[in-house]
Amino acid sequence: MNAPFNSRTSTRHPFAAYVCDDVSAELLKPLVFELGWPPESVNRGGLRGAIQALSVSASPTILFVDLADTADPLNDVSALAEVCEPGTVVIAAGTVNDVRLYRELLNSGIQDYLLKPFTADQVRDSLAQAQMMLMGARPIDPADDHIHLMTAVIGVRGGIGASSIAASLAWLMGENGGHRTALLDLDVHFGTGALALDLEPGRGLTDAIDNPSRIDGLFLERALVRANDKLSVLSAEAPINAPILTDGAAYFQLQEEMKSAFECTVVDVPRHMMVQHPHLFHDVQSIVLVVDLTLAATRDTIRILAWLRNNAPQAGILIVANRIHPSLTEIGRKDFESSIERPIDFVLPYDLKQVVNAAKLGKSIAEAAKTAKIGQTLAQISRKLLQLVADDPASEGSHKASLLDELLTVFKSKSKIARK
Ligand SMILES: Nc1ncnc2c1ncn2[C@@H]1O[C@H](COP(=O)(O)OP(=O)(O)O)[C@@H](O)[C@H]1O
Ligand SMILES: [Mg+2]
């Protein structure tokens, strides 16, 4: 026994289930068999049975556990975490239909929660997802060239609403676009990505920065905080008594892993990060540049556009003017556009009422103000971005090319003018 870790993992089974009733057991057995696992891996005993079994034997790679017979699921799940080896993907089922419990279970590292009675299809989906997670969340069909849209959102000035827009776009890509989406908030000390969605940021991002070599699909699964079914968030509130020491390797690694684990990634990039970590932009397909109609924004939009031409020539750029009040702008729209030598693509109104309401509800502006002008314009922006990776086979190629071309043509023709 000189290699305790190896000896344990070598006896690790791919799957085990601990359910509370015969109906669940009978439903699971054929599904488990379909996946090539022995039907005997479906046991009775529920959560207590799982804790007993795992305290004396190796944990399976995927664990299905029925919480129906526990009165305090959260507490008992943490007892399970103590005996369960890292790397196990846990799927829970239970009779409590409460979104708070659901969220807390996901936050505690549970991969999925199925409400009982569950159907065969629900279990199949959940097991497929667990397997995807274990494979770094790549889609099962290797021929299916999994889409990925990486969008960076940058505010040309602080306080301009870039983080609000990033959270909104991420929510929309998940909710309206139906894509598995991650929001990566790189404002490590003062991030608002989690706050905007009423979540605790957790330690994921700071852990990632401290140990870039540990970042893999599994790490992501544990580090990300789930906002809903489609949206996960990696954000931080790092202590403000110490600087972040990093060469940026962690950011790069996070982007790489997110590319394979998600369909859309929205990166909220504080503008000072551009200066320090230009490689963050090497792989993004689209950039949302948030501006306002002020003198300072005009100057910095010109400078940032020039910088992007050199550092992200592959990316399509959308200029979004935010917090715009018709009578309260320093500079007229036309003057702004002629100074930056390209049009503003979208204008979001200054709308304190909707913003305050969103903050009260703990939702993104896009969700809370769905029917207001601001919400509808945000939805248009996300649709425009998603056209970049439109997965409708009929539009494959032509559609993709046309939008990217459109965005790039505007950008390049302007860059020629600017270079003259
Ligand atoms: N369209 C808008 N109308 C009114 N207030 C807004 C609007 N967009 C954002 N805000 C508010 O502006 C403040 C700064 O937003 P934030 O997203 O944190 O900006 P940034 O990330 O650019 O610093 C927040 O209080 C936010 O609620
Ligand atoms: Mg911000």
Side-chain angles (χ1 to χ4, degrees), residues 5 8-9 12-15 54 58-64 80-91 108-111 129-136 214 216-223:
F5 294 110
R8 276 198 101 180
T9 43
R12 202 160 172 163
H13 293 293
F15 179 80
L54 300 199
S59 309
T61 319
I62 298 175
L63 174 68
F64 187 102
L80 174 68
E82 272 165 31
V83 295
C84 192
E85 289 163 63
T88 295
V89 177
V90 182
I91 300 168
S108 75
I110 300 272
Q111 149 89 15
Q129 266 235 313
Q131 288 184 304
M132 270 162 60
M133 237 27 257
L134 289 164
M135 291 186 301
R214 278 188 44 215
D216 58 12
L218 208 56
F219 176 89
L220 270 196
E221 171 60 10
R222 288 171 176 232

Side-chain angles (χ1 to χ4, degrees), residues 32-87:
V32 163
F33 187 70
E34 261 173 43
L35 289 164
W37 302 323
E40 301 79 76
S41 54
V42 179
N43 309 279
R44 291 291 295 269
L47 182 60
R48 228 164 302 137
I51 294 174
Q52 266 170 19
L54 300 199
S55 59
V56 295
S57 61
S59 309
T61 319
I62 298 175
L63 174 68
F64 187 102
V65 57
D66 193 338
L67 309 179
D69 62 359
T70 121
D72 186 357
L74 274 177
N75 197 29
D76 293 352
V77 160
S78 58
L80 174 68
E82 272 165 31
V83 295
C84 192
E85 289 163 63

Side-chain angles (χ1 to χ4, degrees), residues 169-180:
L169 292 176
W171 182 83
L172 285 160
M173 286 172 180
E175 190 71 14
N176 291 0
H179 298 291
R180 280 179 294 117

Side-chain angles (χ1 to χ4, degrees), residues 343-364:
I344 289 173
D345 298 283
F346 293 96
V347 175
L348 294 166
Y350 183 87
D351 193 338
L352 192 59
K353 192 172 140 227
Q354 295 298 344
V355 166
V356 168
N357 186 43
K360 270 194 197 141
L361 295 173
K363 291 180 174 172
S364 71

